[in-house]
Amino acid sequence: MWLKPEEVLLKNALKLWVTQKSSCYFVLQRRRGHGEGGGRLTGRLVGALDAVLDSSARVAPFRILLQVPGSQVYSPIACGELLNGSDIYWAIATGATLEEINRHWDWLEQNLLHTLSVFDNKDDIASFVKGKVKALIAEETSSRLAEQEEEPEKFREALVKFEARFNFPEAEKLVTYYSCCCWKGRVPRQGWLYLSINHLCFYSFFLGKELKLVIPWVDIQKLERTSNVFLTDTIRITTQNKERDFSTFLNLDEVFKIMEQLADVTLRRLLDNEVFDLDPNLQEPSQITKRDLEARAQNEFFRAFFRLPREEKLHAVADCSLWTPFSRCHTAGRIFSSDSYICFASREDGCCNVVLPLREVVSIEKMEDTSLLPNPIIVSIRSKMAFQFIELKDRENLVEGLLLRLKQVHANHPVHYDSSPSDDDMVRGAVGHPSLWGHLSYSEAQASPVFYSTSICTDKFEDLEMVSSQSSEEREKEKRPLPHPEPLTAVFQQSGSQSPDSRLSREQIKISLWNDHFVEYGRTVCMFRTEKIRKLVAMGIPESLRGRLWLLFSDAVTDLASHPGYYGNLVEQSLGRCCLVTEEIERDLHRSLPEHPAFQNETGIAALRRVLTAYAHRNPKIGYCQSMNILTSVLLLYAKEEEAFWLLVAVCERMLPDYFNHRVIGAQVDQSVFEELIKEHLPELAEHMSDLSALASISLSWFLTLFLSIMPLESAVNVVDCFFYDGIKAIFQLGLAVLEANAEELCGSKDDGQALMVLSRFLDHIKNEDSPGPPIGSHHAFFSDDQEPYPVTDIADLIRDSYEKFGNQSVEQIEHLRCKHRIRVLQGHEDTTKQNVLRVVIPEVSILPEDLEELYDLFKRAHMMSCYWENHRPMALRHDPSRPYAEQYRIDARQFAHLFQLVSPWTCGVHTDILAERIFRLLDDNMDQLIEFKAFISCLDIMYNGEMNEKIKLLYRLHIPPALTENDRDSQSPLKNPLLSTSRPLVLGKPNGDTIDYQKQLKQMIKDLAKEKDKTEKELPKMSQREFIQFCKTLYSMFHEDPEENDLYQAIATVTTLLLQIGEVGQRGSSSGSCSQECEELQASAPPEQDSVFAEAGKSPQAFPETEGDWTVSLEHILASLLTEQSLVNFFEKPLNIKSKLENAKLNQYSLKVLEMSHQPLTELKLSDL
């Protein structure tokens, strides 16, 4: 490709380059070590130098230099491969060829060489060539960008290499790839980083050595940007045992954002699917692309910035300017268009934001394009306001999309209106006053009437009623419990405040300031949100306006207007039902603001009950969580019951995502973010309190209850004011302000308890001098009476300090920190699960704790690999964090078979899979086709550390029902056909002719086993001849490839013959005969004269009650017989090493899964070949 001209000293360059062609003005050079005559040693040295020093893969093997006669400085103007953006050297991507550079050379000869001779000045020659090359670069860039939109050949080539190098199943989708360095200590390894939907992979081939790294996203515990000794900016990946640094990316910001998104999506999909709902584009992991991840990141920022519903999808973002009448100018910013909203954010943070629900929009019109107003559009809303946007580049498509979505919104949520507005309504005020307009088509002028809106209020915000189908409401009214018609503070007025006149006058001043603000900036949800309104909020919202403004700031008013009758239906459906959630709600009803008179009365309690049960019915994933009662109580004080319900919806589902669920993941993530903010803004305090988790645990209630539970109510509601306007940012900055105000005492505290007392006393003495009501203390306060007066802090001063000192955190920064710390929190939960499972298992087994940890990781990975590549698996089989620790990860029969092959000492060749199936059936007690880690380990522990009788008992149980079934895979000839006769000599001959001692030994062993048998243990059913043959087949398979194979085969043949004869003796005797009676018959019996034929194959092996004539042997018979052969005793009692198996399993677990995914028979796999 063509390269921007860059000067280079020829003297240094010639050490690494060889000239191939030259002319008066141009030189074509080849990199030493490339092509013919390079020499193997030279090529390796130069290649190593390129890989280590260059910032993006390797230097191109060919280049062209511009040679200005008489100058020792050359400019490289073309190289044989893509430039990856190095500032010092010209860099390449792979695949440079001589043909490619020759094309550039030919172009120069044909188009420039003859032209340059007309120039007299050397500088003119250089300027002319550089200008031509820059034009070529611009042309190539535009065509290359267009090509990338259509998935260019380079991505396909990278995909082929990715599949060949890492051998994943086809379901492992490659998302993107980058050239970079991976640092191993102080040594960089140049190579390629591949980011797929489930893994981060790195490949390098350096000086003849190949390096492959495969890191599952679910194993990443920390993902961060950092620096090392050599580079100022690297990406560090931290897993359980290792740290890996990656650097020298072309665009490190882009790479880090993609990594962050992939890690976040994968971890939440696999580890947090309790509440996490993927975007529609990400529901199918195999279809995820880089563009989808970038869109998701932009979507999440958009929803967080404007605090919109999770299901809201962003469609378009465009630079523009908005006319702001209060400043009498256009404000530069960006317009965002989504399913149900048009939003605007100024370029300068906090200058001006606007949220326009499409439900409030009446028309969207294109105006005439002029030099003063380029590409303008006008968005008109119901409250007779119009918003003018200009400088929209793609105006046509934007307006077309907006009109389409506007039509859809009004079709889904029709607006009811009154066609007889009063003249007074039509002329009241310039901005935002209520008016009653009729229907308006999208193309009609502003003179047309506007729809009536729930967000339209009177001058004093006295009426915020929704106009809906009143007749249907009246009909339903008699059937459902009536919601309380007004805020509880309006009913339960409190008296006894100090200086009531002065407080009321301050309240009236605030109301006046707000009314002035409404006139200038608007009073509906579509108001201009500026720094001025933030200052008004920080002063405290007047009590008469508080509930209404909470509705507007949270946009709960749009939900309220869009769902007429919804809350009433929920109340009707939910009340009267009894379940665990309603019991928890009933328990907490009287603990909710018990000091407030509204909740010392059944009116307030009943309203609280209705809202909480209705929400639990609406959102069963959340149901009810402690602290929701306190928040809802405060909402009911200042908002009507139905409004309080929609405010609760806004808080739980939009403003505090994932806070109120089984594991309160969202709150823990914000606690972790808060710790980092403490380190950043209060370094001295962080240094003194080395373990900030103590502060985090103290501050957990700050976040869960928005300071309502630990601060006097009249002060805490001011915090809630800020929260509804600024979101979680307000809680972060107020928390930092509280810690800063107490930093000196906290640094002097000796323990966590003293720190808790310091903070509790401070928070309990935060007062609100402007509150019109009497002080209401926190019911969680630690200090109600102090021996000496404690300084009082005014809440308005504390909030003002929080904005001035800590208000510089942007939404984007907070969302980035949340994403970063969510990984840490989720992995913390995984570690907790692991430690709790191991804590239960360790006392019950003999496997070493460190080996148990590795086995747990293998068990979890077996589960995860099926989640990676088997999307058809039902969600019930996936990770469920709401289950008890031991049951969160479970594996099915196929996963168990893979794991059994890798770690079991009982490898039986082709018989291994059959044995694994039987073990799985034995361990699956509840027959749900899943087993837990504890069951898996208990079985493995017997195989490795059990005594011989425990191992034989396990093998015995594997060959009787339920482990052995009629449809067993290995149920051919011996199981389905009549068995051979056992008419053989009963007395086994020995070389020395001594047979009596042998029989006495067997008799004594059976007696001893019968005595030692635990009487409380359930007796195992006896084994039929068909089951016994399967038992023998398993033993033969286990002895295969053992060093003592021949001795073992001979021993088992002897034991098998003996047991067949014992079973025949039992067949001829009474079915109730004891072990001793059978042994006496064994001594006295003689060989039978004819064969015996056993039960037909069709008879069920589960018919345990024996009839006379059934052939059976018991566990005691088998164990006693095996004990007679020392080689068998040695085999079952020899020590086994699990560590080598674990190392092999870690290396080959993926390979085994890939073989299965490619439909190769597992029985053909040998672990030694992996």
Side-chain angles (χ1 to χ4, degrees):
M1 63 163 285
W2 295 104
L3 180 66
K4 182 180 178 181
E6 184 176 328
E7 294 183 350
V8 61
L9 291 176
L10 185 61
K11 178 181 178 182
N12 294 333
L14 287 176
K15 295 178 181 179
L16 302 175
W17 297 89
V18 178
T19 299
Q20 294 282 95
K21 296 181 183 180
S22 64
S23 66
C24 298
Y25 300 101
F26 303 106
V27 178
L28 189 154
Q29 293 183 332
R30 172 178 52 80
R31 187 77 166 170
R32 287 187 183 273
H34 295 279
E36 298 179 1
R40 291 183 61 187
L41 180 59
T42 305
R44 282 197 170 191
L45 291 174
V46 174
L49 183 64
D50 291 344
V52 173
L53 296 181
D54 186 57
S55 64
S56 52
R58 306 173 188 83
V59 175
F62 301 99
R63 70 178 183 181
I64 297 174
L65 304 181
L66 168 65
Q67 175 181 342
V68 179
S71 172
Q72 288 299 312
V73 176
Y74 293 76
S75 293
I77 59 173
C79 71
E81 191 47 60
L82 176 67
L83 175 67
N84 280 351
S86 172
D87 295 329
I88 300 173
Y89 300 97
W90 38 98
I92 68 155
T94 58
T97 62
L98 182 61
E99 291 76 12
E100 184 178 3
I101 204 67
N102 277 334
R103 285 198 300 271
H104 292 299
W105 181 265
D106 294 341
W107 188 92
L108 290 171
E109 285 189 330
Q110 295 169 11
N111 295 279
L112 289 186
L113 195 57
H114 300 294
T115 308
L116 297 182
S117 59
V118 303
F119 291 98
D120 296 328
N121 191 311
K122 298 173 184 177
D123 293 336
D124 292 342
I125 295 174
S127 298
F128 179 77
V129 173
K130 289 178 181 179
K132 281 288 186 184
V133 171
K134 288 177 181 177
L136 291 170
I137 290 172
E139 184 179 343
E140 275 192 354
T141 301
S142 60
S143 62
R144 188 167 61 250
L145 289 174
E147 185 185 49
Q148 285 178 353
E149 292 296 321
E150 301 170 2
E151 194 179 46
E153 287 299 323
K154 287 186 179 177
F155 184 84
R156 295 191 188 94
E157 181 183 342
L159 180 60
V160 170
K161 290 181 179 178
F162 170 72
E163 292 173 346
R165 289 167 175 172
F166 297 100
N167 196 31
F168 284 123
E170 291 182 6
E172 187 67 16
K173 169 80 164 53
L174 176 65
V175 176
T176 188
Y177 65 101
Y178 300 96
S179 171
C180 69
C181 278
C182 177
W183 291 78
K184 188 176 182 180
R186 297 187 176 184
V187 180
R189 294 291 298 264
Q190 185 64 46
W192 291 94
L193 183 70
Y194 298 92
L195 305 181
S196 65
I197 55 174
N198 297 305
H199 299 86
L200 178 150
C201 306
F202 178 79
Y203 178 85
S204 173
F205 190 79
F206 183 73
L207 290 178
K209 292 184 179 180
E210 187 178 55
L211 172 66
K212 290 183 184 180
L213 293 178
V214 176
I215 304 174
W217 292 113
V218 291
D219 288 354
I220 292 178
Q221 297 185 338
K222 192 184 294 184
L223 176 64
E224 58 188 341
R225 292 177 65 166
T226 182
S227 59
N228 60 22
V229 179
F230 303 99
L231 295 169
T232 58
D233 210 357
T234 63
I235 296 175
R236 175 166 293 170
I237 307 291
T238 304
T239 56
Q240 186 175 3
N241 301 315
K242 289 184 180 179
E243 289 182 350
R244 297 282 186 182
D245 288 344
F246 298 90
S247 66
T248 60
F249 294 96
L250 171 63
N251 188 340
L252 190 135
D253 289 335
E254 175 194 302
V255 178
F256 187 72
K257 286 179 181 178
I258 295 295
M259 282 186 176
E260 208 172 41
Q261 283 293 311
L262 271 171
D264 186 58
V265 167
T266 308
L267 262 72
R268 296 180 74 180
R269 172 168 55 88
L270 296 175
L271 304 184
D272 191 31
N273 55 21
E274 177 189 12
V275 295
F276 179 56
D277 295 321
L278 280 170
D279 296 343
N281 290 345
L282 304 177
Q283 290 287 0
E284 180 59 47
S286 62
Q287 302 301 319
I288 294 176
T289 65
K290 178 182 173 184
R291 190 177 302 174
D292 291 334
L293 293 171
E294 291 170 343
R296 176 181 184 264
Q298 196 172 41
N299 249 322
E300 292 208 328
F301 167 75
F302 165 70
R303 290 193 293 257
F305 188 87
F306 296 105
R307 295 187 294 283
L308 301 179
R310 278 189 177 184
E311 59 272 12
E312 200 65 24
K313 181 182 177 183
L314 184 64
H315 291 285
V317 182
D319 291 330
C320 67
S321 293
L322 171 67
W323 174 254
T324 48
F326 53 88
S327 62
R328 299 185 181 278
C329 67
H330 284 91
T331 300
R334 291 191 297 171
I335 186 173
F336 300 81
S337 167
S338 67
D339 292 334
S340 307
Y341 291 86
I342 301 172
C343 301
F344 174 84
S346 60
R347 194 168 296 163
E348 182 183 346
D349 188 33
C351 176
C352 176
N353 297 330
V354 175
V355 176
L356 306 176
L358 287 180
R359 198 176 186 281
E360 299 294 321
V361 173
V362 182
S363 68
I364 302 171
E365 302 173 278
K366 293 181 289 186
M367 293 182 63
E368 184 181 353
D369 186 8
T370 66
S371 58
L372 293 177
L373 300 175
N375 295 327
I377 66 170
I378 297 291
V379 179
S380 302
I381 62 171
R382 298 176 194 165
S383 55
K384 300 190 73 174
M385 286 181 67
F387 295 85
Q388 182 190 77
F389 298 90
I390 64 171
E391 299 175 344
L392 290 158
K393 292 183 179 178
D394 193 11
R395 183 176 65 162
E396 301 297 327
N397 290 334
L398 179 65
V399 172
E400 183 181 349
L402 285 173
L403 288 175
L404 186 64
R405 289 188 289 277
L406 179 63
K407 184 177 181 180
Q408 187 174 0
V409 166
H410 283 289
N412 294 338
H413 301 286
V415 181
H416 304 275
Y417 63 93
D418 188 343
S419 60
S420 57
S422 67
D423 293 337
D424 181 55
D425 284 334
M426 296 294 289
V427 297
R428 187 187 301 166
V431 178
H433 290 262
S435 55
L436 306 177
W437 294 8
H439 281 297
L440 179 68
S441 66
Y442 305 136
S443 58
E444 288 175 352
Q446 280 245 340
S448 302
V450 181
F451 293 97
Y452 193 68
S453 168
T454 60
S455 61
I456 300 168
C457 309
T458 62
D459 283 314
K460 296 182 180 180
F461 263 102
E462 293 170 350
D463 187 17
L464 189 66
E465 299 296 335
M466 179 175 60
V467 178
S468 59
S469 50
Q470 297 295 332
S471 57
S472 62
E473 289 290 328
E474 292 293 336
R475 287 194 298 269
E476 294 292 329
K477 198 171 182 179
E478 300 296 329
K479 299 180 181 179
R480 45 174 90 137
L482 293 176
H484 201 264
E486 53 188 337
L488 294 179
T489 49
V491 180
F492 298 92
Q493 294 288 347
Q494 300 180 78
S495 59
S497 63
Q498 298 177 359
S499 306
D501 294 337
S502 61
R503 292 193 177 199
L504 288 174
S505 64
R506 284 199 292 267
E507 185 81 355
Q508 291 168 353
I509 291 172
K510 286 184 181 180
I511 293 174
S512 177
L513 290 173
W514 275 98
N515 280 330
D516 292 342
H517 186 274
F518 295 146
V519 171
E520 188 174 5
Y521 293 87
R523 68 175 68 232
T524 71
V525 69
C526 305
M527 68 174 68
F528 291 99
R529 307 182 189 206
T530 66
E531 192 61 35
K532 183 177 179 182
I533 197 172
R534 179 177 281 121
K535 291 178 181 177
L536 285 174
V537 171
M539 291 168 57
I541 297 175
E543 296 214 351
S544 59
L545 304 181
R546 178 164 279 137
R548 305 298 192 265
L549 286 173
W550 285 358
L551 283 167
L552 297 184
F553 293 155
S554 65
D555 196 36
V557 67
T558 300
D559 289 333
L560 174 66
S562 303
H563 300 83
Y566 178 83
Y567 173 70
N569 290 331
L570 278 181
V571 170
E572 184 181 0
Q573 295 167 16
S574 59
L575 282 184
R577 295 192 176 187
C578 186
C579 60
L580 182 61
V581 170
T582 56
E583 290 176 7
E584 291 177 356
I585 290 173
E586 288 297 328
R587 248 194 331 263
D588 288 346
L589 285 177
H590 294 278
R591 304 175 189 171
S592 310
L593 298 187
E595 67 280 2
H596 197 285
F599 299 100
Q600 298 167 1
N601 183 288
E602 183 56 31
T603 302
I605 294 295
L608 180 60
R609 178 187 293 112
R610 287 192 294 269
V611 173
L612 290 175
T613 52
Y615 185 78
H617 190 71
R618 163 191 165 86
N619 192 343
K621 279 188 176 180
I622 291 178
Y624 170 75
C625 182
Q626 283 190 344
S627 77
M628 287 173 67
N629 60 321
I630 297 173
L631 176 61
T632 308
S633 301
V634 176
L635 298 178
L636 284 167
L637 290 178
Y638 296 99
K640 299 175 185 177
E641 187 176 317
E642 186 173 5
E643 295 169 352
F645 169 80
W646 286 110
L647 284 169
L648 181 64
V649 170
V651 171
C652 294
E653 298 176 14
R654 297 207 299 264
M655 304 185 74
L656 295 178
D658 299 341
Y659 262 58
F660 303 100
N661 56 48
H662 174 68
R663 300 190 295 173
V664 291
I665 292 292
Q668 292 184 55
V669 170
D670 282 349
Q671 289 300 293
S672 191
V673 171
F674 190 52
E675 288 183 36
E676 182 162 333
L677 293 176
I678 294 171
K679 293 176 184 176
E680 179 183 344
H681 294 282
L682 303 172
E684 292 182 3
L685 178 62
E687 184 178 350
H688 174 77
M689 302 190 72
S690 55
D691 183 11
L692 289 175
S693 59
L695 278 182
S697 61
I698 292 171
S699 63
L700 180 61
S701 60
W702 303 0
F703 290 83
L704 282 173
T705 66
L706 308 178
F707 285 90
L708 290 168
S709 64
I710 41 81
M711 193 183 286
L713 179 61
E714 72 274 8
S715 303
V717 290
N718 284 30
V719 179
V720 180
D721 295 341
C722 298
F723 168 75
F724 275 116
Y725 184 76
D726 267 326
I728 195 63
K729 170 186 172 181
I731 307 301
F732 281 127
Q733 63 194 33
L734 187 66
L736 291 171
V738 169
L739 293 181
E740 189 206 34
N742 295 274
E744 187 175 343
E745 287 189 73
L746 289 172
C747 288
S749 61
K750 298 178 182 178
D751 53 37
D752 297 343
Q754 189 175 351
L756 175 61
M757 288 192 295
V758 167
L759 291 172
S760 299
R761 185 168 55 177
F762 174 82
L763 291 166
D764 193 42
H765 287 81
I766 295 176
K767 305 301 179 184
N768 185 357
E769 299 297 334
D770 295 340
S771 175
I776 300 177
S778 165
H779 62 283
H780 288 280
F782 275 68
F783 301 94
S784 56
D785 296 313
D786 291 311
Q787 294 180 351
E788 57 184 45
Y790 189 83
V792 172
T793 303
D794 187 71
I795 185 62
D797 295 336
L798 186 63
I799 290 175
R800 185 176 61 252
D801 287 347
S802 73
Y803 274 103
E804 290 176 355
K805 296 177 180 178
F806 309 108
N808 58 348
Q809 294 291 330
S810 68
V811 172
E812 189 173 13
Q813 290 171 320
I814 290 174
E815 289 304 305
H816 164 69
L817 289 173
R818 278 177 161 179
C819 189
K820 170 184 173 182
H821 288 277
R822 190 179 293 110
I823 295 174
R824 173 187 165 190
V825 170
L826 289 175
Q827 293 293 11
H829 277 273
E830 289 300 297
D831 289 342
T832 301
T833 299
K834 178 178 178 177
Q835 295 307 318
N836 279 305
V837 172
L838 294 180
R839 190 178 297 116
V840 172
V841 172
I842 286 174
E844 299 183 10
V845 298
S846 301
I847 300 174
L848 295 176
E850 57 267 25
D851 294 335
L852 276 176
E853 283 196 41
E854 294 193 11
L855 283 166
Y856 181 89
D857 292 338
L858 290 169
F859 187 89
K860 177 181 173 181
R861 192 173 296 128
H863 167 92
M864 285 297 175
M865 285 193 297
S866 293
C867 295
Y868 294 159
W869 303 314
E870 297 177 22
N871 295 323
H872 60 276
R873 287 168 57 80
M875 288 301 295
L877 302 186
R878 298 199 172 188
H879 174 53
D880 184 359
S882 64
R883 297 179 68 89
Y885 289 120
E887 300 176 15
Q888 288 189 16
Y889 288 109
R890 297 177 294 170
I891 58 176
D892 60 22
R894 187 165 51 178
Q895 297 161 5
F896 176 81
H898 297 161
L899 207 51
F900 184 82
Q901 275 192 319
L902 290 169
V903 299
S904 170
W906 292 356
T907 51
C908 309
V910 295
H911 196 68
T912 303
D913 285 344
I914 297 167
L915 188 62
E917 287 179 10
R918 294 172 184 168
I919 294 177
F920 183 85
R921 284 195 291 266
L922 180 66
L923 299 179
D924 185 19
D925 293 331
N926 57 2
M927 302 183 70
D928 63 352
Q929 305 303 312
L930 296 169
I931 64 168
E932 303 159 7
F933 178 71
K934 184 178 178 181
F936 168 71
I937 287 301
S938 62
C939 175
L940 202 64
D941 185 55
I942 293 175
M943 296 179 190
Y944 277 100
N945 303 308
E947 295 181 357
M948 180 178 176
N949 62 328
E950 293 175 315
K951 294 178 181 179
I952 299 304
K953 182 178 179 181
L954 175 60
L955 281 170
Y956 184 91
R957 294 180 65 196
L958 293 178
H959 295 86
I960 58 175
L964 185 70
T965 66
E966 183 71 17
N967 298 320
D968 194 279
R969 274 211 284 164
D970 193 32
S971 58
Q972 297 176 1
S973 58
L975 190 61
K976 294 292 186 182
N977 300 311
L979 300 179
L980 298 175
S981 167
T982 57
S983 298
R984 299 179 179 85
L986 182 62
V987 180
L988 300 174
K990 291 288 183 180
N992 59 3
D994 184 5
T995 60
I996 302 300
D997 291 342
Y998 180 86
Q999 293 177 358
K1000 285 182 178 179
Q1001 180 187 10
L1002 179 59
K1003 175 183 175 181
Q1004 188 60 40
M1005 285 180 179
I1006 294 176
K1007 286 183 178 180
D1008 293 342
L1009 287 168
K1011 290 178 183 178
E1012 294 173 3
K1013 185 176 180 181
D1014 186 2
K1015 300 300 182 183
T1016 62
E1017 183 180 353
K1018 183 179 178 182
E1019 184 176 356
L1020 291 174
K1022 292 186 178 181
M1023 184 179 283
S1024 70
Q1025 191 179 38
R1026 300 186 309 170
E1027 294 162 355
F1028 174 70
I1029 295 299
Q1030 291 299 316
F1031 177 85
C1032 294
K1033 285 187 67 175
T1034 298
L1035 289 179
Y1036 271 95
S1037 301
M1038 289 173 62
F1039 301 152
H1040 182 58
E1041 294 186 355
D1042 189 274
E1044 306 294 329
E1045 182 176 354
N1046 291 334
D1047 292 343
L1048 290 169
Y1049 282 156
Q1050 184 176 356
I1052 196 62
T1054 302
V1055 170
T1056 301
T1057 303
L1058 177 61
L1059 286 168
L1060 285 170
Q1061 295 173 32
I1062 291 175
E1064 187 172 315
V1065 170
Q1067 180 186 22
R1068 294 195 305 271
S1070 171
S1071 60
S1072 61
S1074 65
C1075 291
S1076 59
Q1077 290 172 331
E1078 291 174 7
C1079 290
E1080 290 171 5
E1081 187 173 352
L1082 174 65
Q1083 279 187 321
S1085 63
E1089 297 180 358
Q1090 57 183 8
D1091 292 350
S1092 299
V1093 180
F1094 294 91
E1096 297 179 4
K1099 190 178 293 184
S1100 171
Q1102 299 183 13
F1104 295 127
E1106 301 161 19
T1107 60
E1108 190 163 339
D1110 285 341
W1111 187 101
T1112 59
V1113 292
S1114 67
L1115 171 63
E1116 290 76 15
H1117 291 148
I1118 292 175
L1119 184 56
S1121 301
L1122 291 172
L1123 289 172
T1124 61
E1125 295 291 336
Q1126 189 60 41
S1127 58
L1128 295 176
V1129 173
N1130 293 341
F1131 176 82
F1132 284 106
E1133 291 188 347
K1134 68 182 177 183
L1136 299 171
N1137 181 15
I1138 195 174
K1139 292 188 182 296
S1140 59
K1141 283 280 188 180
L1142 291 177
E1143 289 300 320
N1144 183 67
K1146 286 190 289 185
L1147 292 173
N1148 299 323
Q1149 192 173 19
Y1150 270 78
S1151 302
L1152 191 63
K1153 183 66 178 177
V1154 169
L1155 281 174
E1156 187 238 338
M1157 295 291 290
S1158 60
H1159 308 293
Q1160 293 187 23
L1162 292 176
T1163 53
E1164 296 176 3
L1165 177 69
K1166 292 184 180 179
L1167 295 179
S1168 58
D1169 297 334
L1170 291 176

